[in-house]
Amino acid sequence: MSKGFRAIYLSHPEVEIDPGREVTDWSLSAVGLARAEALAARLRGLSGAQVVSSAERKALETAAPLAVRSGKPVITRPNMHENDRSSTGYLPREEFEQVADQFFARPGESVRGWETAEAAQQRILREVDEVVRVVPEGPLVFVGHGAVGTLLWCALAGKPISRSHDQKGGGNWYRFDPENRAVRAIWAPMEQLDTL
């Protein structure tokens, strides 16, 4: 029996872009960290919630203040990582956007060696399903990344993979029912999230 729209998917906010470091090891910027801390400070219903995060540093830094307020340690799920782009590593903004467009437009193909959108979508669905299996009660806050978050949203909404459903900027969220695989709304800025 479904417990309803008890889950939030939250993408990490702004990061410090450092071409000299692995993208998976980028930190939140001062702006991103302030946004994450402000969310944790105001979010009602967080006490007792389970925060589940990608193992990437920027996601863990977003999850940390939420977990402090929840009173439970973060569950780290390494397979919640962003789509695997290690074949190219850091790309300048304009080039990255072009490749990302192709990633969404050709979901069954590997673009420049990137993980395919279809594979990333199945991976994030498996992770959500497993968390729901092992955390059967209470609200869930999944903290991750924009592209896989969009792929999850497309699957939950029954929509074809398309970048038209992608978030605008970082630090966004949507609410969903992880058991019925239903989604309530499209991405919204974290400043519009006040209660679980």
Side-chain angles (χ1 to χ4, degrees), residues 93-176:
R93 182 74 181 183
E94 186 174 331
E95 185 179 2
F96 171 81
E97 293 297 335
Q98 291 171 352
V99 180
D101 284 344
Q102 295 172 46
F103 167 80
F104 280 99
R106 294 156 41 195
E109 298 178 32
S110 173
V111 180
R112 292 182 58 179
W114 284 16
E115 177 183 27
T116 70
E118 288 178 355
Q121 185 180 62
Q122 290 306 307
R123 172 172 52 78
I124 192 66
L125 280 168
R126 282 193 303 272
E127 289 299 293
V128 168
D129 287 345
E130 177 62 13
V131 169
V132 171
R133 188 184 70 77
V134 299
V135 186
E137 300 294 334
L140 294 164
V141 181
F142 291 88
V143 182
H145 310 275
V148 291
T150 297
L151 295 171
L152 177 63
W153 186 93
C154 290
L156 297 169
K159 302 285 188 184
I161 291 172
S162 170
R163 201 172 189 193
S164 65
H165 306 301
D166 199 7
Q167 65 172 357
K168 305 295 185 276
N172 295 283
W173 67 281
Y174 56 81
R175 193 179 307 277
F176 69 99

Side-chain angles (χ1 to χ4, degrees), residues 21-140:
R21 289 167 62 191
E22 292 290 333
V23 175
T24 55
D25 198 38
W26 285 358
S27 297
L28 293 182
S29 67
V31 169
L33 187 57
R35 291 181 71 198
E37 290 175 344
L39 174 63
R42 76 168 177 275
L43 191 55
R44 296 185 305 273
L46 192 54
S47 178
Q50 183 61 66
V51 180
V52 184
S53 179
S54 157
E56 293 192 32
R57 184 172 179 178
K58 49 194 171 283
L60 287 169
E61 288 177 355
T62 305
L66 298 170
V68 168
R69 282 282 316 283
S70 79
K72 292 184 177 181
V74 175
I75 294 176
T76 303
R77 302 288 301 191
N79 284 330
M80 278 179 55
H81 63 80
E82 184 59 292
N83 60 307
D84 185 348
R85 309 190 298 261
S86 56
S87 61
T88 59
Y90 168 78
L91 294 173
R93 182 74 181 183
E94 186 174 331
E95 185 179 2
F96 171 81
E97 293 297 335
Q98 291 171 352
V99 180
D101 284 344
Q102 295 172 46
F103 167 80
F104 280 99
R106 294 156 41 195
E109 298 178 32
S110 173
V111 180
R112 292 182 58 179
W114 284 16
E115 177 183 27
T116 70
E118 288 178 355
Q121 185 180 62
Q122 290 306 307
R123 172 172 52 78
I124 192 66
L125 280 168
R126 282 193 303 272
E127 289 299 293
V128 168
D129 287 345
E130 177 62 13
V131 169
V132 171
R133 188 184 70 77
V134 299
V135 186
E137 300 294 334
L140 294 164

